[in-house]
Amino acid sequence: MARMTKQELLEKIFHDDYENLKGKKLRMTRVRVPGKEVCLAHVISPSQACIYQNLGLHIGVHEGEDHTGEAVGMIRFTPWEAVVVAADMAVKSADVQIGFMDRFCGSLILTGGLSQVQTAVEAVVRFFDEELGFRTCEIHKS
């Protein structure tokens, strides 16, 4: 599907009034309507302490814990509430910990051994694809 230019979009939206609106200042607001989607699935290989600190995984309930050498799995969902189901699936499918979960923006960060994090991310994405009919993305690894 080819991308539309701004001009083509305005013509399509305001097809009846477009000639009257030409040259006037228009304000365009983009609104995202949440669909059923897993839009990010990424596994970061065991990394240095700075990764955990920059993600804020060393504060709050994880204060004082040392996650050096653990892998990180990051998954993003719409609708955002799906993250609660994903967190439940992740901890039941592998020996991982929830590093961070935000049910208001759909972000989930998992920590644990590399194979365990990979297993959990794969299980979550597969469940959302096959059982819940979500549109899913590929799982990326670095």
Side-chain angles (χ1 to χ4, degrees):
M1 184 170 158
R3 293 189 71 171
M4 296 175 99
T5 65
K6 182 179 175 184
Q7 187 78 19
E8 291 169 334
L9 177 63
L10 291 173
E11 286 178 21
K12 188 170 186 165
I13 293 173
F14 300 109
H15 57 86
D16 294 332
D17 295 325
Y18 187 70
E19 290 302 318
N20 296 332
L21 295 172
K22 269 188 181 174
K24 295 183 179 174
K25 288 190 176 192
L26 297 176
R27 179 173 175 225
M28 183 175 280
T29 305
R30 294 178 189 210
V31 176
R32 181 169 185 192
V33 177
K36 290 171 43 176
E37 181 178 40
V38 177
C39 44
L40 170 72
H42 190 81
V43 176
I44 300 172
S45 296
S47 53
Q48 301 169 343
C50 65
I51 299 294
Y52 300 97
Q53 291 169 355
N54 287 329
L55 289 172
L57 297 177
H58 67 299
I59 60 176
V61 296
H62 300 286
E63 185 174 6
E65 294 179 12
D66 183 15
H67 295 281
T68 304
E70 290 187 354
V72 175
M74 301 184 331
I75 314 173
R76 172 86 165 67
F77 302 87
T78 59
W80 310 291
E81 299 86 356
V83 75
V84 176
V85 175
D88 181 53
M89 286 296 303
V91 298
K92 288 178 178 175
S93 64
D95 185 20
V96 294
Q97 291 185 355
I98 297 171
F100 177 78
M101 180 177 80
D102 187 347
R103 67 178 197 254
F104 299 110
C105 72
S107 300
L108 176 64
I109 297 177
L110 304 169
T111 61
L114 179 58
S115 64
Q116 295 297 313
V117 170
Q118 282 180 309
T119 299
V121 171
E122 289 168 0
V124 167
V125 171
R126 186 173 42 255
F127 176 78
F128 274 78
D129 179 35
E130 295 173 3
E131 300 296 324
L132 299 180
F134 275 51
R135 200 166 130 202
T136 58
C137 64
E138 283 186 41
I139 299 171
H140 295 274
K141 298 171 182 133
S142 64

